[in-house]
Amino acid sequence: MINQKYKATGIILKGSSLKENDRLVTVLTPEYGLIRAVAPGAKKYKSQLRGRTELFVINELLIIKGRSLDKIIQADTLYSYPGLSRDIGKLATAQYLAELSLALAVDEQPQPELYQLLNEHLRRVERLIVGESVYPCLAQAVFHLTAIAGLTPQIFECCLTQQRMIPNLSLANWRIGFSFEGGGIIDLDAVQRIQQNKNLELDAVESYNQRLPKIDYRIGALELNLLQQLIDRDLPSVEASVTANFNLEAAWIAIEKVLREYIQYHIGKTIRSANLVDNLYIEF
């Protein structure tokens, strides 16, 4: 296997300096999952690999298999997402999605769905017009990437009762619980009924309560309505009559925060790039 050459198509998701002129990059490929490889001389001004090993550049790569690290010997650029580098907000959002993808990807295993999905959502972010919120695109991207990892939260039925939960958009104070431990939405009325059930023996009540998952968030009707639409390919739509009574941007920010903390809970990692997005956009 040593010195064996192979080809791969991949997007650069992480890079760092190695020695004086080399660059160490992490590439997400549909064929091999994550590849960590050295780009020799990539920091030199006249190197052909210099611009081709920057973040979010998609290349056709020719790589030599090494004992500890593979080596990129040729890179032909297919796309470079120019719109991301021109807008700091879009770039921060892309870094967030890259970091999440790195946490979810697997080394040396095909990852065609993750690769395709990440690029699809990066294109959506790149196409956002000036002043347009990143949060709808970001929330849906996180939801879709979470689904790829098999960690989709339960958003239609209560995790306790398995009863269908329909958001009541006519009530501004309508709330439902969201539990990271439980894996999705929780009917708060059901929790209250369980806790106040006078027909159970005291020790039985205490035993049941111990199994009740922690409620991490209480979200409103608009948040649940949008959350339940994230499973679709297109971005959720909301009627103007509904948004007149709710703060749509605040709802999207809340959804992204819930999904971010949910996935962090399950993968055991913090998405540090998310703070960049918060600092740029949150004004609520």
Side-chain angles (χ1 to χ4, degrees):
M1 292 292 292
I2 304 303
N3 295 326
Q4 179 181 348
K5 294 181 182 179
Y6 66 98
K7 292 182 178 181
T9 300
I11 180 170
I12 309 293
L13 294 187
K14 187 178 180 180
S16 59
S17 296
L18 185 68
K19 297 183 179 179
E20 183 178 356
N21 294 311
D22 300 345
R23 184 168 166 80
L24 178 63
V25 295
T26 303
V27 189
L28 176 63
T29 72
E31 306 99 330
Y32 305 103
L34 286 181
I35 296 173
R36 293 173 182 84
V38 177
K43 293 171 62 180
K44 293 181 179 179
Y45 181 74
K46 294 184 178 181
S47 171
Q48 291 184 345
L49 295 177
R50 182 180 175 89
R52 299 174 188 183
T53 53
E54 296 297 326
L55 290 182
F56 309 116
V57 178
I58 300 174
N59 296 294
E60 284 187 351
L61 301 167
L62 180 60
I63 305 171
I64 295 179
K65 190 75 176 175
R67 292 184 182 275
S68 58
L69 284 172
D70 294 355
K71 181 187 295 186
I72 298 172
I73 58 174
Q74 183 177 326
D76 296 318
T77 298
L78 302 178
Y79 193 73
S80 61
Y81 289 104
L84 297 180
S85 60
R86 300 190 192 112
D87 185 294
I88 189 170
K90 292 180 181 180
L91 184 59
T93 302
Q95 289 174 330
Y96 178 149
L97 297 181
E99 189 175 347
L100 177 55
S101 298
L102 285 169
L104 298 176
V106 181
D107 296 352
E108 299 181 356
Q109 290 189 26
Q111 305 270 265
E113 289 182 295
L114 179 60
Y115 175 83
Q116 181 179 356
L117 194 61
L118 173 62
N119 279 287
E120 179 180 336
H121 284 288
L122 289 178
R123 285 192 292 270
R124 292 186 183 191
V125 172
E126 186 181 39
R127 289 195 297 262
L128 290 172
I129 63 175
V130 176
E132 189 174 4
S133 173
V134 302
Y135 281 96
C137 285
L138 182 54
Q140 189 172 49
V142 173
F143 188 90
H144 286 176
L145 291 171
T146 300
I148 285 288
L151 296 171
T152 310
Q154 192 163 317
I155 55 173
F156 292 100
E157 291 84 25
C158 168
C159 293
L160 291 178
T161 66
Q162 302 307 314
Q163 296 296 310
R164 181 84 173 191
M165 302 303 300
I166 300 175
N168 190 339
L169 291 165
S170 64
L171 294 178
N173 62 348
W174 186 92
R175 292 292 183 274
I176 194 167
F178 194 101
S179 170
F180 304 155
E181 176 191 0
I185 59 173
I186 303 283
D187 183 352
L188 296 174
D189 291 337
V191 172
Q192 189 174 28
R193 288 194 302 269
I194 292 169
Q195 292 174 334
Q196 296 180 349
N197 193 333
K198 304 299 183 180
N199 297 322
L200 295 175
E201 296 293 334
L202 181 59
D203 58 347
V205 173
E206 291 176 349
S207 176
Y208 202 103
N209 283 343
Q210 288 176 0
R211 297 199 302 271
L212 288 176
K214 174 188 175 184
I215 304 296
D216 297 282
Y217 280 97
R218 287 168 170 79
I219 61 176
L222 179 57
E223 284 88 347
L224 181 58
N225 177 272
L226 295 171
L227 193 57
Q228 289 178 338
Q229 295 184 67
L230 289 181
I231 196 170
D232 298 331
R233 179 182 176 85
D234 297 327
L235 280 173
S237 59
V238 184
E239 295 181 2
S241 59
V242 172
T243 57
N245 299 319
F246 295 93
N247 186 325
L248 184 59
E249 178 70 355
W252 277 120
I253 291 173
I255 291 170
E256 185 279 321
K257 185 177 182 181
V258 169
L259 290 175
R260 179 200 312 180
E261 294 187 21
Y262 169 81
I263 192 63
Q264 288 180 158
Y265 173 88
H266 284 281
I267 66 176
K269 296 181 180 179
T270 298
I271 305 169
R272 291 176 295 178
S273 301
N275 293 328
L276 297 174
V277 179
D278 290 343
N279 293 334
L280 286 168
Y281 287 104
I282 291 184
E283 299 177 354
F284 294 87

